[in-house]
């Protein structure tokens, strides 16, 4: 396959698809499979595949491959071999009820605080994948952990400030 990376460069891989996963974010479709290089499971966004050449070499999906197991800690489709990371978010009163009425992740734990705000925590494979969802809540959510996500949100706020200061 010839797959265009997010930055725009085109890469050529040998790819053996194991699983196709529709992804609600952006109404996209991804495929998970064995990719050479690097000789490991990887995810490719189908919309970025520009060319496919069918090879005659057969392959078998390993009997122990389980997409449910692979994605059990994922927010969506990003998986890792590392241990999941605890994400802790505090949602303000204005959205606490709406957040609390939906089950967002299998590992989530929700606590309603005395002031009506909501403490949300979950163990996520790759927390970066959550960032668009978190940004969508705007000032109604605060990232408490991990520190790397909190710093990323602080940097985002700085960039937003710069955008709006230039236009006002």
């Amino acid at each position: 396959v010839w797959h265009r990376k997010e930055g725009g460069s085109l890469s050529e891989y040998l790819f053996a698809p194991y699983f196709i996963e529709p992804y609600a974010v952006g109404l996209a479709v991804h495929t998970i499979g064995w990719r050479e290089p690097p000789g490991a499971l990887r995810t490719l966004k189908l919309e970025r595949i520009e060319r496919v050449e069918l090879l005659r070499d057969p392959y078998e999906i390993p009997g122990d491959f389980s997409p449910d197991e692979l994605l059990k800690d994922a927010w969506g489709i990003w998986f890792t071999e590392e241990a999941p990371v605890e994400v802790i978010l505090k949602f303000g009163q204005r959205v606490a009820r709406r957040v609390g009425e939906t089950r967002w992740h299998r590992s989530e734990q929700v606590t309603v605080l005395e002031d009506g705000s909501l403490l949300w925590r979950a163990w996520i494979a790759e927390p970066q994948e959550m960032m668009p969802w978190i940004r969508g809540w705007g000032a109604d959510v605060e990232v408490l952990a991990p520190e790397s996500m909190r710093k990323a949100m602080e940097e985002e706020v700085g960039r937003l400030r710069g955008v709006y200061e230039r236009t006002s």
Side-chain angles (χ1 to χ4, degrees), residues 4-61:
R4 189 150 314 271
K5 293 182 181 177
E6 191 170 341
S9 63
L10 190 63
S11 296
E12 180 181 346
Y13 307 111
L14 290 176
F15 188 74
Y18 291 3
F19 185 73
I20 294 175
E21 176 73 4
Y23 190 46
V25 177
L27 301 176
V29 180
H30 294 77
T31 181
I32 299 170
W34 191 261
R35 193 182 88 189
E36 296 279 351
L41 282 178
R42 291 294 186 261
T43 303
L44 297 180
K45 186 175 183 182
L46 289 184
E47 291 85 353
R48 291 192 192 139
I49 295 175
E50 297 203 359
R51 184 174 150 215
V52 174
E53 181 181 320
L54 183 62
L55 303 177
R56 302 249 179 243
D57 304 330
Y59 73 93
E60 288 187 28
I61 298 172

Side-chain angles (χ1 to χ4, degrees), residues 85-158:
V85 175
E86 185 178 29
V87 174
I88 305 173
L89 307 173
K90 183 178 179 185
F91 289 91
Q93 296 172 341
R94 198 166 74 93
V95 298
R97 183 181 196 135
R98 191 166 39 146
V99 172
E101 69 191 16
T102 300
R103 180 96 173 145
W104 300 98
H105 192 266
R106 70 172 193 86
S107 71
E108 77 178 49
Q109 298 171 353
V110 174
T111 305
V112 177
L113 302 177
E114 264 186 47
D115 67 356
S117 62
L118 185 136
L119 193 65
W120 185 96
R121 60 178 66 221
W123 291 88
I124 307 295
E126 179 48 72
Q128 177 65 31
E129 188 178 20
M130 297 178 69
M131 292 300 281
W133 180 73
I134 292 169
R135 283 193 300 266
W137 293 102
D140 290 312
V141 65
E142 178 184 1
V143 176
L144 301 179
E147 186 63 25
S148 60
M149 283 181 81
R150 184 174 177 87
K151 291 282 184 208
M153 287 303 296
E154 289 172 359
E155 291 171 9
E156 181 83 5
V157 168

Side-chain angles (χ1 to χ4, degrees), residues 71-92:
L71 299 173
K72 73 178 183 191
D73 296 317
W75 180 252
I77 52 110
W78 292 14
F79 60 90
T80 178
E81 293 176 7
E82 305 297 320
V85 175
E86 185 178 29
V87 174
I88 305 173
L89 307 173
K90 183 178 179 185
F91 289 91

